[in-house]
Amino acid sequence: MEKLRSNEVFKPGAFPEYTYISRVSSELNFTYEFRLKQALNTSGYLTSIIGPSKTGKTVLCEKVIGIDNIVSLTGSDFKNSNNFWEVIAKKVGLSLEGEYIKTQSLTEQTTVDNVKTKNVSTREKYISNKDTIIEYFKNESLVLVLDDFHYAPEELQFDIAYQLKDAIRKEFKAIVISLPHRADDAIRKNADLSGRLNLINIEPWKEEELKEIAITGFGKLGVKVLDDFALKIAVESLTSPQLMQSICLNLSLILSIDESGASNIELNEVKLHESYRFTTINLPYKEVVNKLKEGPSTRGQKRKTYELIDGKCLDVYSILLKAIAINPPMISISLDEVKNRVDKLIKDNGDKLDRNKLKSSLQKLQDIIITSESIYQVFEWKDNQIYILDPLFLFYLRWGVS
Ligand SMILES: Nc1ncnc2c1ncn2[C@@H]1O[C@H](COP(=O)(O)OP(=O)(O)OP(=O)(O)O)[C@@H](O)[C@H]1O
Ligand SMILES: [Mg+2]
């Protein structure tokens, strides 16, 4: 057998053929693959998949349906057309308007026993309609995967849902994918579709599941990974299988696994940390971190700074970001925990930051975040709790140089 290369094994941006991990959904104790297969086999039902970004929604569809059988559209494909079927026809390359020969048998009766049949051909224009497309999908075993449904224009969402409902009764197979907390009421709260929906909620990845990516992948490369070592990477990956794949790939590169051969490889923490830092290089959060550190405008006034145990003097916003970044990495942090972390960072005999100051500063960061573009939506401050919305941001905060 030919030796696999690390970039064939670890695939942070594509279908991971060699490191695909099958997960069991805690709701139902079946694998996601089983549930999706089941869902697609129920005619008359529309499948709705909801899950946080980068949790493997697309990869799941590819695994179950096969890349060649997926017709993939996104909500934003409907921005320039209000005709659902027209958009699909274009995508699969069916001509929208065509001609076909229609042969009609006309029966003429001239006398009582003399029946003459003649064939009359007429040319007719047709618009490739719904039925043609549905037939085509059935014949070619295609499944429509409509990603980012929330990006479809709101006034179209109900019409899309209606078209899908109707098509699905005719054995058309379709999956609608959305992010949690994004408007997909046209699907999940649509009375028309109630009782006709297969709901699949993708849960965040657990450390045990993330570990499998490293263990399986390095195993394929002939390198044995200890459980503890895999766990370290899993903790750092913060629920993201993509981050796990990236870190493993970069670790393989840094160790030159492909060149030096598996037997000479020694996995160690120094190299691991190096690969964490390397992984942050392509993450686009430099501006985000700078903007948050700057905080709200001070109109030229200098902000109060606090002396930290490492000797640095930082203002409240930089200290808050540092507090979010330190060990252990957490995806949600309570105000008490924030206060704890900040106290640990600030020098004992120096000025302290009290809870109210921390709360109001976090609120100001929240105000900056919600009034900024989507790349800035990295955490949410709500009910005295920080919720990290973007695991890659926290990873950058921990390991990026800024
Ligand atoms: N089951 C899996 N096993 C191993 N790795 C996975 C799995 N699912 C996802 N990944 C990794 O995560 C990456 C992102 O997955 P995918 O693109 O499917 O996420 P998504 O939920 O569709 O993201 P988006 O919200 O951006 O559409 C994959 O390219 C792969 O590296
Ligand atoms: Mg996707």
Side-chain angles (χ1 to χ4, degrees):
M1 201 180 77
E2 184 127 1
K3 194 171 162 287
L4 288 168
R5 295 184 64 81
S6 46
N7 64 358
E8 295 171 290
V9 170
F10 296 114
K11 295 251 177 172
F15 185 80
E17 191 186 337
Y18 298 103
T19 44
Y20 185 92
I21 304 301
S22 177
R23 299 196 296 149
V24 172
S25 83
S26 69
E27 286 177 321
L28 277 174
N29 245 321
F30 288 107
T31 64
Y32 287 110
E33 295 80 33
F34 180 84
R35 293 190 54 201
L36 182 56
K37 220 175 274 168
Q38 211 41 41
L40 288 170
N41 281 332
T42 321
S43 44
Y45 274 63
L46 179 64
T47 304
S48 155
I49 299 182
I50 289 192
S53 74
K54 301 285 176 298
T55 44
K57 302 181 294 297
T58 300
V59 159
L60 171 67
C61 291
E62 288 172 351
K63 176 79 177 174
V64 171
I65 303 161
I67 293 180
D68 294 338
N69 294 78
I70 292 179
V71 174
S72 160
L73 285 176
T74 91
S76 39
D77 288 330
F78 294 91
K79 289 226 161 93
N80 300 318
S81 167
N82 57 7
N83 187 323
F84 179 74
W85 295 106
E86 196 178 282
V87 174
I88 296 182
K90 237 188 216 151
K91 179 79 192 187
V92 295
L94 285 178
S95 72
L96 281 178
E97 209 177 309
E99 273 184 330
Y100 69 97
I101 315 282
K102 193 170 172 185
T103 311
Q104 275 179 318
S105 297
L106 291 182
T107 313
E108 268 178 76
Q109 208 164 22
T110 37
T111 58
V112 180
D113 337 82
N114 188 4
V115 179
K116 243 179 25 192
T117 306
K118 70 172 182 187
N119 285 331
V120 180
S121 297
T122 51
R123 280 178 179 276
E124 284 195 6
K125 279 215 155 176
Y126 74 100
I127 301 287
S128 162
N129 60 19
K130 188 157 97 184
D131 294 327
T132 323
I133 297 171
I134 293 174
E135 256 331 281
Y136 180 76
F137 268 67
K138 273 160 66 176
N139 291 340
E140 308 282 320
S141 309
L142 300 177
V143 179
L144 176 71
V145 176
L146 178 47
D147 221 327
D148 287 335
F149 179 76
H150 46 272
Y151 285 138
E154 241 168 87
E155 64 279 9
L156 263 187
Q157 293 187 358
F158 274 91
D159 182 55
I160 295 176
Y162 176 80
Q163 298 296 338
L164 285 173
K165 176 194 167 192
D166 193 51
I168 264 143
R169 302 167 74 122
K170 300 172 177 152
E171 313 268 318
F172 182 77
K173 293 187 193 295
I175 300 171
V176 176
I177 299 181
S178 357
L179 292 173
H181 320 299
R182 286 307 186 102
D184 82 333
D185 293 358
I187 302 291
R188 290 218 173 178
K189 292 195 185 140
N190 187 339
D192 251 5
L193 284 171
S194 75
R196 310 188 149 277
L197 279 181
N198 277 310
L199 305 177
I200 300 180
N201 297 316
I202 310 279
E203 294 147 42
W205 283 60
K206 300 190 187 78
E207 284 162 7
E208 282 304 307
E209 298 164 334
L210 291 167
K211 261 167 57 181
E212 287 303 311
I213 294 178
I215 293 168
T216 310
F218 282 111
K220 292 257 152 75
L221 294 170
V223 178
K224 174 131 182 66
V225 183
L226 295 178
D227 220 58
D228 260 7
F229 193 82
L231 180 62
K232 281 203 178 92
I233 318 178
V235 169
E236 215 48 71
S237 300
L238 300 155
T239 73
S240 167
Q242 190 179 21
L243 197 45
M244 189 74 188
Q245 297 266 4
S246 282
I247 296 169
C248 290
L249 176 58
N250 288 330
L251 182 58
S252 310
L253 294 179
I254 283 172
L255 292 167
S256 318
I257 286 186
D258 295 332
E259 292 75 26
S260 36
S263 50
N264 302 319
I265 296 301
E266 197 211 327
L267 296 174
N268 64 65
E269 211 146 335
V270 175
K271 294 287 180 197
L272 185 56
H273 287 190
E274 211 174 301
S275 76
Y276 290 156
R277 286 189 290 274
F278 191 76
T279 305
T280 65
I281 290 174
N282 298 313
L283 296 177
Y285 299 107
K286 203 176 172 63
E287 297 296 311
V288 177
V289 171
N290 286 343
K291 187 165 175 169
L292 294 177
K293 269 189 183 163
E294 220 165 85
S297 159
T298 57
R299 297 191 194 86
Q301 294 215 331
K302 235 179 128 28
R303 207 170 261 140
K304 181 175 168 54
T305 58
Y306 302 80
E307 199 181 346
L308 305 189
I309 42 170
D310 65 6
K312 281 190 192 135
C313 282
L314 297 177
D315 70 9
V316 61
Y317 297 104
S318 292
I319 292 175
L320 277 171
L321 288 184
K322 233 183 169 34
I324 293 173
I326 59 178
N327 273 330
M330 286 166 94
I331 220 82
S332 75
I333 312 171
S334 67
L335 178 60
D336 288 340
E337 175 68 17
V338 175
K339 170 78 175 131
N340 245 331
R341 290 177 170 215
V342 169
D343 284 349
K344 261 193 246 157
L345 287 170
I346 294 180
K347 226 183 183 151
D348 263 349
N349 51 5
D351 280 345
K352 290 280 171 197
L353 274 158
D354 63 37
R355 280 168 66 96
N356 282 336
K357 176 72 183 164
L358 293 175
K359 263 174 88 161
S360 64
S361 305
L362 280 163
Q363 186 54 51
K364 289 193 178 115
L365 287 180
Q366 169 71 15
D367 295 342
I368 293 173
I369 289 172
I370 45 171
T371 51
S372 304
E373 299 135 63
S374 60
I375 183 77
Y376 290 87
Q377 313 302 310
V378 291
F379 68 79
E380 190 177 17
W381 167 247
K382 203 174 83 181
D383 309 328
N384 281 346
Q385 189 97 15
I386 296 172
Y387 296 94
I388 302 292
L389 301 176
D390 186 348
L392 292 175
F393 166 75
L394 180 48
F395 182 76
Y396 181 88
L397 212 48
R398 287 173 62 69
W399 298 100
V401 266
S402 52

